[in-house]
Amino acid sequence: MQTAKGSYHNLAALISGEGPATPGATGLAGPRHSRLSAESPAIEPPIKTTRLIIVSNHLPLRVKRGGSGWEFEWDEDALVAQAKEGVPKDPPLEVMYVGSLPVDIGVEEQERIANELKRLYNCCPVYIDKDVKEKYYKGFCKQQLWPLFHYILPVSPSSSGRFDIELWQSYVKANKSFADKVVEESASDTDFVWIHDYHLLVLPSLLRKRFNRIRCGLFLHSPFPSSEIFRTFPKREELLRSLLNADLIGFHTFDYARHFLSCCSRMLGLEHETSRGSITLDYYGRTVGLKIMPTGVNPGRYLEGFSWDEFKWRRGELRAQFAGCAVLVGCDDMDVFKGIELKLQAYERLLDHNPEMRGKLVLVQVTNPPRSSGRDINELHDTVVALVEGINRKYGRPAQGYSPVHYLERHVPLHERMAFYSIADCAVVTATRDGMNLVPYEYVVCREGPPGDSENGPRDSMLVVSEFVGCSPSLSGAIRVNPWSVESVCDGMYAAVRMPLEHRRLRHEKHWRYVSQHTVGYWASSFISDLQRVTRNHVSMKCYGLGLGLDTFRMVALDANFRKLEEGAVTSAYATSAVRVLLLDYDGTLTGGASSHLGGSGHLPSASHSHHAHLASSGASPGSEAPSEAVLAVLRALTADTRNRVCLFSGRPKAELTEWFASVPSLGLVAENGCYVRLAGGAGGGAGEWEALVPHADYSWKKMALPILQQYQESTDGSSIEAKESALVWWYRDADPDFGSWQAKELLDHLEGVLSNKPVEIVGTNGSVEIKPQGVSKGRAAERLLTSLFAAAQAAAAPAGGAAGAPPP
């Protein structure tokens, strides 16, 4: 957590006018051209078009090495490529892709290939050093972030998932390469940037430092873990703050968004707001929106495939092979989170308990090659192969050509995968944790088929889906199962196979209606529209960057009408004024208390419960402390000037303030947030007497309120009670944020019911519930001070002017 001290230097620069008030960037590329020509050196003036720069780890290209060099092909199946269909046409946006290539390109070829890819595909490759790329992707992304986001903690000392600072540095370095390429291609901070997935989580901060007003969205295609998991990550705050430097953050499900909001609340002290169906966070003057929407598929792509000869041939072959059998299909990566072994165990149990299904039920398991390596993957592979062999050995009928499990461990091309989907009676997804998983959507489209496809058979389908995948909430007709329960998955498979045809058709119609409407284009269009809406006022923002590193950088956004207080004007007015009134807040302003921290929207770092108990017993409030000698010296210097009237406001008891500021007798004091006032005197005038703003206040309500506060203190670990002369305060800043907030709401209702006829005000703030006499406030105390000073000025002017007049300016 950043302290106030860490940002004072930059804040001072901002106040003095040294900080940049407008964003800027260095190293910008010149105007972009769709065609490079050595014969036409003249450059035409560029037409200003707003760009949408889609940034992902890999460009949507297929790459292979041919006889004449590298060969590139547009990947129509890539999600970011299909997202282009949802880009709004009015106003038009020029779509550009930034990402890395899946192969290593020699340095001598990089510039030529970059120019060619930009000309042909509007793709801008990011070249990363091979060693950095290895540590960034296979090291940090796959061994540390991927398990963390899927709820796996590296509890073993030898685990590759243990945090490695070298891998983290490679991750940041790779993200900087992406940021440099975006800056190079972006014409201005009015362009839109859409970042995809966990590979680029620090990219928003890197871009925000270069373009303060950049319009940046990020969609996370993986799960987001609960705060109990995420808080174990050593660089948790850097990741959270970088995500918040985006303007719109997308999640597949509300669960993932809720986990993110919980992390922001518990680690940064940020609370969200809801308005008209949208969820927002205020982060240093910017509104950060949250988008909850699962991705979709492009049905047209699959329906078009029904006309491919290779699809027709493969589907006919599979129908003949599995004639007379009900077919279950699964398509997963070889990954520990996909639950392949759990699916096979449930299938074996299904055959164990239902002999009539043997010979009539087939499970086709398509397993894609693993995207990472390690001991866990090797163990999973051995377990899956052993289960497949065991089931086939146990229930297979070689003489009849029947194998209960058909296991394909290879890359399956699209046409073949579509063929499997089209003939399958049910798709089974048993992932233990998955961001989205589009297999059910693809299956539903392939079971629907194009209109007039008589070979596709009846339009019916069934889905057995894990409740831990992102697509589960959108498939209301699916049989949801707990993949960890073999019995639950087995029962789901049985119910799917035995489901009456009429019910299968009804469920299929419901799913097809959803999948055909919520396509990948619809998802992209909705996200981009929300990004445009959230950032519509960015052009008029005044932005100031504070801090340098990922852990200290903050971009403060101010309203267009904000006017910086000019130091010269203040100095001039101060020098020429006959009487100056200085009203100073103490707690968290003159002190180094936690509430003065610049990082975290007023969030207070946790202190120990024993520290709170000490504060409560001494009558202190959390975040307060005695003044330093430097503060006292400044106050003495201010009060030594006869033209100054200095008054300090605090929530502390008057006895404590009297003791602390005894060396500054001419200082005016306001204690307990306005209940007691000690007027300021001139230089050498000495301290005045304390007076109560509510002279005859009734404090009998304390006997009723104190037992209630004690009850809530006992039931809320980390809370404390502060007993003041005029008020009672229940503090819960060190309690669990959610539980403390719930208890505070209950306490407010409780006190309002018990003290409804008493002359008190019950005020709930961020971290406390205070009961105080009616009519007590700092504003009223300030009014009392100014009235006193005005009267003193009139009295001083009367002998000289002969009549009371207005005080000098």
Side-chain angles (χ1 to χ4, degrees):
M1 187 68 67
Q2 182 197 6
T3 64
K5 183 178 179 181
S7 286
Y8 276 163
H9 175 76
N10 290 328
L11 186 58
L14 185 155
I15 295 172
S16 64
E18 296 174 13
T22 57
T26 59
L28 292 180
R32 178 193 167 276
H33 297 276
S34 60
R35 189 182 300 272
L36 297 176
S37 174
E39 301 175 359
S40 304
I43 300 177
E44 298 180 1
I47 300 175
K48 183 172 178 58
T49 302
T50 302
R51 292 175 177 172
L52 171 64
I53 302 175
I54 299 178
V55 191
S56 58
N57 183 46
H58 283 150
L59 289 171
L61 298 172
R62 297 188 183 99
V63 188
K64 64 179 180 180
R65 188 78 176 186
S68 58
W70 293 107
E71 297 178 2
F72 298 88
E73 181 185 0
W74 186 253
D75 187 0
E76 296 182 5
D77 299 323
L79 183 69
V80 292
Q82 296 175 352
K84 188 176 181 179
E85 297 182 7
V87 176
K89 301 297 188 293
D90 186 23
L93 294 175
E94 178 191 356
V95 179
M96 178 177 289
Y97 293 91
V98 170
S100 64
L101 293 170
V103 295
D104 293 322
I105 306 295
V107 176
E108 68 282 356
E109 297 181 283
Q110 290 180 359
E111 184 176 358
R112 178 183 61 82
I113 289 178
N115 292 334
E116 193 72 9
L117 293 181
K118 188 174 181 181
R119 180 179 65 85
L120 295 175
Y121 304 108
N122 230 15
C123 289
C124 303
V126 177
Y127 298 116
I128 306 173
D129 181 76
K130 186 175 181 179
D131 181 61
V132 173
K133 188 175 183 179
E134 185 82 8
K135 294 177 180 178
Y136 148 70
Y137 182 72
K138 292 186 178 180
F140 192 80
C141 289
K142 285 301 180 183
Q143 294 183 10
Q144 298 191 1
L145 273 188
W146 179 257
L148 176 75
F149 280 17
H150 288 75
Y151 288 69
I152 300 296
L153 294 179
V155 293
S156 171
S158 60
S159 171
S160 60
R162 285 286 176 101
F163 179 77
D164 186 330
I165 189 63
E166 186 178 356
L167 298 182
W168 164 255
Q169 291 169 347
S170 296
Y171 181 78
V172 174
K173 188 174 182 179
N175 274 245
K176 286 181 178 178
S177 298
F178 281 86
D180 291 340
K181 177 58 69 172
V182 173
V183 170
E184 178 184 334
E185 299 297 337
S186 181
S188 70
D189 57 7
T190 60
D191 289 341
F192 294 93
V193 178
W194 188 4
I195 303 167
H196 288 267
D197 223 358
Y198 66 97
H199 313 90
L200 304 169
L201 292 185
V202 300
L203 184 55
S205 278
L206 299 175
L207 292 177
R208 187 70 63 187
K209 291 178 69 174
R210 306 288 285 272
F211 291 127
N212 291 161
R213 291 195 291 246
I214 196 168
R215 306 176 186 193
C216 178
L218 184 147
F219 198 95
L220 187 64
H221 294 274
S222 70
F224 194 91
S226 71
S227 60
E228 293 303 308
I229 298 292
F230 187 77
R231 69 196 297 185
T232 64
F233 186 62
K235 297 295 182 179
R236 59 191 186 182
E237 187 168 327
E238 284 86 338
L239 290 186
L240 275 183
R241 292 196 181 279
S242 185
L243 283 169
L244 290 168
N245 274 318
D247 298 296
L248 184 65
I249 310 169
F251 299 95
H252 286 306
T253 70
F254 174 70
D255 278 347
Y256 304 157
R258 177 169 54 85
H259 294 161
F260 173 74
L261 292 173
S262 177
C263 289
C264 290
S265 173
R266 291 172 176 270
M267 299 173 203
L268 303 180
L270 299 174
E271 299 299 334
H272 69 278
E273 297 180 356
T274 56
S275 175
R276 298 183 179 180
S278 62
I279 305 174
T280 60
L281 289 157
D282 182 76
Y283 187 65
Y284 289 97
R286 280 188 311 110
T287 298
V288 180
L290 264 63
K291 178 76 172 177
I292 302 170
M293 189 176 185
T295 54
V297 296
N298 180 9
R301 171 70 172 161
Y302 296 94
L303 298 180
E304 176 191 352
F306 275 71
S307 62
W308 301 339
D309 291 337
E310 58 267 31
F311 164 78
K312 293 178 181 179
W313 173 81
R314 187 58 172 144
R315 183 172 66 167
E317 187 180 48
L318 292 174
R319 280 181 171 171
Q321 181 179 356
F322 300 126
C325 291
V327 179
L328 307 177
V329 66
C331 185
D332 308 278
D333 294 338
M334 179 61 76
D335 194 293
V336 294
F337 305 110
K338 298 300 182 179
I340 302 174
E341 77 286 4
L342 299 173
K343 183 190 306 180
L344 291 169
Q345 291 170 4
Y347 181 66
E348 182 177 17
R349 180 186 177 92
L350 179 65
L351 296 180
D352 286 342
H353 290 74
N354 299 276
E356 73 281 2
M357 292 186 176
R358 301 168 192 171
K360 298 181 180 179
L361 184 64
V362 173
L363 170 64
V364 177
Q365 177 59 47
V366 178
T367 305
N368 299 315
R371 300 187 185 184
S372 59
S373 59
R375 186 179 60 187
D376 292 344
I377 297 295
N378 295 333
E379 290 178 355
L380 173 64
H381 176 268
D382 294 342
T383 300
V384 168
V385 171
L387 283 169
V388 171
E389 292 175 350
I391 296 172
N392 286 337
R393 185 169 54 251
K394 190 175 181 181
Y395 295 115
R397 300 173 182 177
Q400 303 175 13
Y402 170 73
S403 296
V405 181
H406 283 258
Y407 183 68
L408 288 79
E409 189 177 350
R410 60 176 171 83
H411 172 71
V412 176
L414 179 61
H415 75 272
E416 186 176 8
R417 193 166 76 245
M418 288 174 53
F420 279 118
Y421 289 154
S422 66
I423 61 97
D425 299 280
C426 176
V428 183
V429 178
T430 55
T432 57
R433 184 71 61 179
D434 210 348
M436 185 59 197
N437 200 312
L438 296 174
V439 167
Y441 291 0
E442 297 172 349
Y443 167 73
V444 168
V445 175
C446 293
R447 288 294 289 177
E448 175 67 19
D453 179 43
S454 57
E455 297 183 17
N456 195 42
R459 268 53 168 181
D460 70 277
S461 63
M462 278 304 300
L463 290 168
V464 176
V465 178
S466 164
E467 61 190 54
F468 301 118
V469 298
C471 64
S472 176
S474 62
L475 299 169
S476 57
I479 298 175
R480 297 190 182 96
V481 296
N482 176 6
W484 296 103
S485 169
V486 173
E487 183 178 358
S488 173
V489 178
C490 174
D491 292 344
M493 291 180 177
Y494 181 86
V497 173
R498 295 301 189 193
M499 183 79 66
L501 181 60
E502 181 182 355
H503 291 180
R504 293 167 56 87
R505 289 178 176 175
L506 290 174
R507 291 175 185 241
H508 172 78
E509 289 176 6
K510 180 187 292 186
H511 292 156
W512 168 244
R513 194 161 49 245
Y514 178 87
V515 172
S516 61
Q517 293 175 359
H518 295 79
T519 64
V520 63
Y522 177 84
W523 163 74
S525 175
S526 179
F527 188 91
I528 296 170
S529 296
D530 279 9
L531 181 59
Q532 290 174 326
R533 175 181 55 80
V534 170
T535 60
R536 62 179 179 268
N537 296 325
H538 272 30
V539 176
S540 61
M541 288 193 315
K542 293 185 177 180
C543 303
Y544 299 87
L546 306 177
L548 297 174
L550 287 174
D551 57 338
T552 60
F553 173 70
R554 311 286 188 271
M555 199 283 291
V556 180
L558 303 172
D559 186 79
N561 298 322
F562 171 78
R563 294 179 59 189
K564 184 166 65 72
L565 190 62
E566 296 295 337
E567 184 178 338
V570 175
T571 304
S572 175
Y574 182 86
T576 58
S577 296
V579 177
R580 309 146 183 158
V581 181
L582 305 176
L583 304 181
L584 307 175
D585 184 62
Y586 179 71
D587 302 303
T589 303
L590 294 184
T591 65
S595 56
S596 66
H597 289 185
L598 296 178
S601 298
H603 174 60
L604 292 175
S606 296
S608 66
H609 178 71
S610 60
H611 175 62
H612 252 196
H614 169 73
L615 289 174
S617 63
S618 64
S621 58
S624 299
E625 57 184 25
S628 65
E629 183 55 37
V631 170
L632 293 174
V634 170
L635 292 175
R636 283 193 291 266
L638 286 173
T639 56
D641 192 323
T642 57
R643 293 180 293 174
N644 290 344
R645 301 293 182 268
V646 186
C647 188
L648 186 143
F649 289 72
S650 175
R652 313 291 298 218
K654 57 185 181 181
E656 202 164 60
L657 294 180
T658 301
E659 177 186 353
W660 283 353
F661 299 99
S663 62
V664 195
S666 298
L667 178 67
L669 295 172
V670 175
E672 300 193 14
N673 291 324
C675 191
Y676 300 102
V677 176
R678 192 185 76 177
L679 299 179
E689 296 295 327
W690 287 98
E691 61 177 272
L693 287 186
V694 184
H696 305 292
D698 178 12
Y699 294 112
S700 60
W701 52 266
K702 284 189 174 183
K703 295 181 180 180
M704 302 170 61
L706 187 57
I708 298 174
L709 298 186
Q710 290 172 340
Q711 175 187 345
Y712 280 82
Q713 180 191 15
E714 293 172 1
S715 61
T716 310
D717 189 30
S719 66
S720 61
I721 299 172
E722 180 186 354
K724 301 180 181 180
E725 187 175 338
S726 64
L728 292 175
V729 186
W730 181 70
W731 295 95
Y732 64 92
R733 281 173 171 165
D734 283 348
D736 179 274
D738 292 331
F739 184 55
S741 178
W742 297 341
Q743 291 289 78
K745 292 176 182 178
E746 289 292 328
L747 178 58
L748 281 169
D749 292 340
H750 195 165
L751 292 173
E752 287 172 357
V754 173
L755 304 177
S756 58
N757 297 323
K758 296 295 181 180
V760 296
E761 294 180 20
I762 305 171
V763 181
T765 62
N766 184 22
S768 69
V769 174
E770 182 177 11
I771 316 166
K772 61 181 182 179
Q774 286 181 344
V776 171
S777 68
K778 290 183 178 179
R780 187 176 175 187
E783 184 180 1
R784 170 71 182 87
L785 289 168
L786 294 175
T787 301
S788 173
L789 292 172
F790 182 74
Q794 285 184 317

